[in-house]
Amino acid sequence: MTRRTHWPDSGEHDAAPVADGGSTDSGGPASSRAGDGPPRTPEEQARAVCLRLLTGNPRTKKQLADALQKRGIPDEAAEEVLSRFEEAGLINDAAFAGAWVESRHHSRGLARRALARELRTKGVESTLIDEAVGQLDPEQEEQTARELVDRKLRSTRGLDREKRLRRLAGMLARKGYPEGLALRVVRDALEAEGTDDPDLLDDYLPGD
């Protein structure tokens, strides 16, 4: 694993910067914040939008392309500016994906499957997604799953056994953990607690 990088915990941060560009504070075509006057060419407009969006958080190329399209930037001008930003290192989908995996695993306990799903929604290419989720060590993923179950286990005490099984297994499934790993982790936690018949998990663990 690489050094932990701060990252927002939800996609809510991605929505606000791509609001309609009519406001002088939006970074859209009407904005004069990028220079002494309003941008005159589509390329200048695209550059101003990208710089503003990248000021808050890193973005994928697809996220920026969608923002430019929403603002009516011609495709040719958008692609030219995005390519320049890539060459300058201001857009780097591989770095974005790696930092996203590291941060979201540590902050939310997400497993590879859930992380890959999130990166797909942000337009990251499949090969880069595979590389990014591949940095998550299987032992670390399992340890995180055990920590999640241990924390959730306390809040399920007092419920009947079947509800506990469904709640614990469902929690891991929603975070992207595979069925076999979830079964083993939940069984171990219940056995350590002294719960009878952990094999009942086979009947209640959600499938893929």
Side-chain angles (χ1 to χ4, degrees):
M1 294 292 291
T2 58
R3 180 176 58 86
R4 184 176 304 182
T5 305
H6 173 71
W7 207 270
D9 282 344
S10 73
E12 294 174 358
H13 299 272
D14 299 327
V18 293
D20 290 340
S23 166
T24 58
D25 199 34
S26 69
S31 174
S32 62
R33 295 168 64 90
D36 295 333
R40 293 180 297 275
T41 68
E43 289 79 10
E44 288 172 334
Q45 295 173 16
R47 182 175 180 275
V49 171
C50 289
L51 286 174
R52 177 159 178 78
L53 293 179
L54 290 169
T55 297
N57 292 306
R59 311 276 173 167
T60 67
K61 183 177 181 179
K62 179 65 163 55
Q63 287 176 310
L64 293 173
D66 289 346
L68 295 178
Q69 184 180 50
K70 184 173 183 179
R71 287 166 170 81
I73 304 297
D75 291 344
E76 184 176 351
E79 182 57 37
E80 180 179 346
V81 170
L82 291 173
S83 295
R84 290 177 182 174
F85 274 52
E86 280 188 302
E87 292 173 2
L90 296 175
I91 302 174
N92 188 328
D93 282 2
F96 178 99
W100 186 268
V101 165
E102 183 178 8
S103 179
R104 296 284 282 178
H105 177 72
H106 285 292
S107 66
R108 298 292 298 277
L110 299 184
R112 299 180 197 188
R113 184 166 56 187
L115 292 165
R117 184 167 57 246
E118 289 187 340
L119 289 171
R120 281 194 295 270
T121 67
K122 296 183 179 299
V124 179
E125 295 180 359
S126 296
T127 53
L128 298 181
I129 292 175
D130 291 342
E131 292 174 4
V133 299
Q135 75 176 327
L136 184 56
D137 187 271
E139 293 182 1
Q140 176 62 48
E141 189 176 44
E142 179 171 339
Q143 178 59 34
T144 300
R146 293 186 183 280
E147 292 170 358
L148 290 169
V149 169
D150 287 343
R151 290 198 295 268
K152 189 71 173 178
L153 193 68
R154 292 190 291 270
S155 68
T156 64
R157 287 169 186 160
L159 299 176
D160 66 64
R161 182 185 304 126
E162 293 183 3
K163 287 183 179 179
R164 298 186 79 191
L165 296 178
R166 287 195 297 268
R167 190 164 297 185
L168 293 168
M171 177 269 295
L172 289 180
R174 287 190 296 274
K175 290 182 178 292
Y177 290 90
E179 183 175 359
L181 174 61
L183 174 62
R184 182 172 70 254
V185 168
V186 175
R187 177 185 286 120
D188 289 349
L190 292 175
E191 287 180 341
E193 189 190 50
T195 301
D196 294 333
D197 299 326
D199 287 338
L200 286 173
L201 279 169
D202 293 328
D203 297 326
Y204 296 106
L205 192 71
D208 295 335

